[in-house]
Amino acid sequence: QVRLVETGGGSVQAGGSLRLSCAASGFSYENYYMGWFRQAPGKEREGVAFIFASSITEYAGSVKGRFAISQVSPRNTLSLQMNSLKPEDSGMYYCAVTPRLERWSWRLDPKKYNYWGQGTQVTVSS
């Protein structure tokens, strides 16, 4: 049974940093895509960062160069280091995993992910 538990959210001023963690269990990371997603009020959920096989990563354009995703095995801990935070980074952040997808282009598509954590709130004030 897949289980995902996020921690590390909070409030920070613009320009600050936060580190999110996701304790993941119940699956084999070698065969799963893992990602961080976020959702702001009134907006659709969007992909933020993706990782596969501990080293293959991808980022949304809006966070590239500021966020860093990492994964530590065998405990399957997924982390997201967020630097130079902006007010527009505010929202509920979720970690999610799914078995390897049929199409590489789906890796940041939240609709393609099967398992989700409960989310952790990030608030960035100006």
Side-chain angles (χ1 to χ4, degrees):
Q1 182 178 354
V2 176
R3 187 166 185 259
L4 305 170
V5 180
E6 302 99 331
T7 56
S11 298
V12 65
Q13 288 193 327
S17 299
L18 283 173
R19 185 176 181 87
L20 307 182
S21 294
C22 175
S25 60
F27 63 99
S28 175
Y29 82 97
E30 294 93 345
N31 298 312
Y32 274 66
Y33 288 176
M34 305 175 72
W36 285 98
F37 300 81
R38 68 187 181 190
Q39 188 167 19
K43 294 188 176 181
E44 291 188 355
R45 191 169 297 187
E46 62 175 350
V48 174
F50 157 89
I51 191 167
F52 176 64
S54 300
S55 60
I56 301 172
T57 60
E58 184 64 55
Y59 297 92
S62 59
V63 307
K64 197 171 292 185
R66 300 188 297 121
F67 290 12
I69 189 172
S70 60
Q71 180 255 327
V72 178
S73 64
R75 288 169 292 181
N76 286 349
T77 300
L78 186 67
S79 296
L80 184 69
Q81 178 66 41
M82 305 185 295
N83 299 325
S84 302
L85 282 162
K86 304 175 181 180
E88 52 263 43
D89 293 319
S90 297
M92 187 70 76
Y93 281 69
Y94 302 88
C95 69
V97 302
T98 195
R100 290 180 66 173
L101 296 169
E102 180 179 331
R103 296 184 181 181
W104 182 245
S105 60
W106 290 345
R107 61 197 181 279
L108 280 174
D109 185 348
K111 297 187 293 296
K112 302 301 183 183
Y113 279 70
N114 294 341
Y115 304 99
W116 294 83
Q118 82 287 352
T120 186
Q121 180 68 39
V122 171
T123 303
V124 184
S125 58
S126 57

